[in-house]
Amino acid sequence: MLEMKKLVIIPTYNEKENIENIISAVFLLEKDFHILVVDDSSPDGTADIVRNIQERNPHQLHLSVRKVKDGLGKAYLHGFQWALQNNYDYIIEMDADFSHNPTDLPKLLEACENADMSIGSRYSKGVNVVNWPMGRVLLSYFASKYVRFILGIPISDTTAGFVCFSRKVLEEIGLERVKLKGYGFQVEMKYRAYNKGFKIVEVPIIFT
């Protein structure tokens, strides 16, 4: 049986403090994850750090530098197209700043292997957020509840940015039609996947 190809997409802008550590943390996992860093021409030299690491690990680490900084959604869409062109079977979104714990990647992948899309959820089992001001927690929590109510989608954390997609989801939901750029992009991706009838599961995580 062929090994499924797994890609973690990490968008960056001025992440020189975190990027080497987050890459190392992913590569320490037993699963054979590859990484694509999508850097929006960071002036702090983030891309140069990635290139240096690439010299030691050219097979697993990839870099794509975009000339414009036009939103998180656009960076992920760029990464999704790259992943499809390079024949990855599972594609995961993850932040560079350790707010998403790399050790949660295997359980997110395992959940996606038994569904079509898995979400690292802050709100599926209460509120699992650490080191955020209470006002921001409440805003995020009630925003997700509001979106769930308005759109009628059975997802607790509609704005989550720690998500695993099977290849067929990205092929079929119409990436070229995705309009939103910021965190609304996360809502739109879930809404499009749900409307296509894909099986979506939530995996409880602690967001730091």
Side-chain angles (χ1 to χ4, degrees), residues 3-6 87-91 165-168:
E3 177 75 17
M4 296 287 101
K5 293 179 66 179
K6 304 167 286 284
N87 301 313
Y88 283 91
D89 301 291
Y90 294 99
I91 300 95
F165 301 90
S166 64
R167 179 185 180 87
K168 63 183 177 181

Side-chain angles (χ1 to χ4, degrees), residues 2-27:
L2 286 175
E3 177 75 17
M4 296 287 101
K5 293 179 66 179
K6 304 167 286 284
L7 182 71
V8 179
I9 299 175
I10 302 176
T12 56
Y13 186 78
N14 287 349
E15 291 286 355
K16 71 175 184 179
E17 304 297 332
N18 297 312
I19 192 62
E20 185 167 4
N21 290 334
I22 198 80
I23 289 170
S24 297
V26 173
F27 286 163

Side-chain angles (χ1 to χ4, degrees), residues 4-206:
M4 296 287 101
K5 293 179 66 179
K6 304 167 286 284
L7 182 71
V8 179
I9 299 175
I10 302 176
T12 56
Y13 186 78
N14 287 349
E15 291 286 355
K16 71 175 184 179
E17 304 297 332
N18 297 312
I19 192 62
E20 185 167 4
N21 290 334
I22 198 80
I23 289 170
S24 297
V26 173
F27 286 163
L28 282 173
L29 300 170
E30 291 184 7
K31 300 283 186 180
D32 184 28
F33 289 105
H34 290 198
I35 294 174
L36 170 67
V37 175
V38 180
D39 185 68
D40 284 357
S41 295
S42 297
D44 72 345
T46 297
D48 291 331
I49 295 171
V50 176
R51 290 187 187 98
N52 288 335
I53 305 169
Q54 262 187 313
E55 292 178 5
R56 305 191 299 269
N57 203 333
H59 173 62
Q60 279 184 276
L61 180 59
H62 309 280
L63 172 67
S64 183
V65 178
R66 302 194 316 141
K67 293 182 179 179
V68 292
K69 186 177 187 296
D70 60 353
L72 183 72
K74 293 294 185 182
Y76 272 128
L77 290 171
H78 177 89
F80 293 157
Q81 296 288 4
W82 188 96
L84 294 176
Q85 291 166 8
N86 287 276
N87 301 313
Y88 283 91
D89 301 291
Y90 294 99
I91 300 95
I92 302 174
E93 305 176 355
M94 190 174 78
D95 290 347
D97 62 1
F98 284 92
S99 55
H100 302 139
N101 191 334
T103 61
D104 287 327
L105 284 168
K107 66 181 182 182
L108 205 62
L109 174 65
E110 182 179 353
C112 195
E113 288 172 342
N114 295 298
D116 299 306
M117 176 177 168
S118 61
I119 299 167
S121 178
R122 299 164 290 184
Y123 308 129
S124 61
K125 296 271 181 76
V127 178
N128 292 308
V129 178
V130 177
N131 294 336
W132 248 19
M134 182 54 66
R136 191 169 179 185
V137 173
L138 292 173
L139 180 63
S140 172
Y141 177 77
F142 286 110
S144 279
K145 295 299 182 188
Y146 177 76
V147 168
R148 176 175 178 164
F149 174 74
I150 293 296
L151 297 182
I153 54 177
I155 297 171
S156 298
D157 194 350
T158 53
T159 58
F162 195 20
V163 183
C164 181
F165 301 90
S166 64
R167 179 185 180 87
K168 63 183 177 181
V169 173
L170 297 182
E171 288 177 328
E172 296 181 24
I173 64 173
L175 294 176
E176 72 284 352
R177 295 193 298 275
V178 174
K179 301 299 182 188
L180 299 178
K181 295 182 180 182
Y183 282 96
F185 160 82
Q186 302 291 4
V187 175
E188 184 175 358
M189 291 293 291
K190 296 172 184 67
Y191 182 68
R192 288 181 177 275
Y194 177 74
N195 278 350
K196 280 284 187 180
F198 287 113
K199 183 180 178 182
I200 302 171
V201 296
E202 291 188 81
V203 178
I205 63 160
I206 295 175

